Amino acid sequence: MKLKTKDMIYAGAFAALYVVAVLIVMMLVGTIPVIYIACPLLLGIFCGTIYLLSVLKVRKFGAALLMAVLFACIATGFDPIAFSVCIVSALIAEICMALGKYKSKKMYVISYVFFNFITASNFFRILVAKDAYIAGVRSMVGDDFADGMSRLVTPWWAWIMIVGFAVVGGIIGGLFGSKIVKKHFEKAGIV
């Protein structure tokens, strides 16, 4: 099934809503390095309902990918590593939904767990070019934040924590979003 114009409008509107929600959360918590590292968890929980509304409304290949591309264009600065993480995460999410034939609530929740890795996409740049990443952070936000980030991402276990935050945020956000959608939006006939 191909996306029709109506589907792309829905997907685009929810993608824009998702990006606005991400920006709101980032403005509230993104100024403290310790909390910034936890953004995959916080964003996963906060944005799960928006993601599920989007993909449940469209129920075709492309809704999650469109959301990830819009997010990547705004949030990654077109960094090839971070952009690639967004696209790969969205494609895996799309495959999960397709495996559930766009009917399985369980597969929608699992798809969100993979999709939520887009919220950690900028951290993946640190694996390849930590010094360049910290220098960019230093020029944009300042020495204190850059030094705090450098200390937080230096230990080997920081990666387990970041990936864990993305997974746990995706699980909680997917389950919570699924309950919200069922309770409020399915009954209203929206999805």
Side-chain angles (χ1 to χ4, degrees), residues 13-27 43 46-47 50 70-71 74:
F14 282 112
L17 184 60
Y18 181 87
V19 169
V20 168
V22 167
L23 292 173
I24 289 169
V25 171
M26 293 300 294
M27 285 190 303
L43 292 170
F46 187 69
C47 297
I50 299 168
L70 181 61
F71 174 88
I74 292 170

Side-chain angles (χ1 to χ4, degrees), residues 37-149:
I37 291 285
C39 277
L41 173 68
L42 300 171
L43 292 170
I45 293 169
F46 187 69
C47 297
T49 303
I50 299 168
Y51 171 84
L52 288 171
L53 280 171
S54 175
V55 296
L56 286 168
K57 184 69 177 171
V58 175
R59 294 185 190 259
K60 294 177 186 167
F61 185 90
L65 188 59
L66 181 64
M67 191 178 292
V69 168
L70 181 61
F71 174 88
C73 289
I74 292 170
T76 68
F78 294 100
D79 176 80
I81 296 165
F83 201 90
S84 298
V85 169
C86 290
I87 301 306
V88 169
S89 298
L91 287 172
I92 294 170
E94 292 281 3
I95 290 168
C96 289
M97 290 183 289
L99 289 173
K101 298 183 173 139
Y102 299 99
K103 294 178 182 172
S104 169
K105 298 280 171 97
K106 178 181 173 185
M107 292 308 285
Y108 278 111
V109 171
I110 291 170
S111 78
Y112 183 61
V113 173
F114 286 104
F115 182 84
N116 195 47
F117 275 92
I118 73 170
T119 62
S121 60
N122 283 318
F123 294 116
F124 282 90
R125 293 189 291 175
I126 299 168
L127 284 173
V128 176
K130 178 184 171 193
D131 293 336
Y133 176 80
I134 296 299
V137 168
R138 190 175 308 281
S139 70
M140 288 189 317
V141 188
D143 290 337
D144 290 339
F145 189 87
D147 292 341
M149 282 296 295

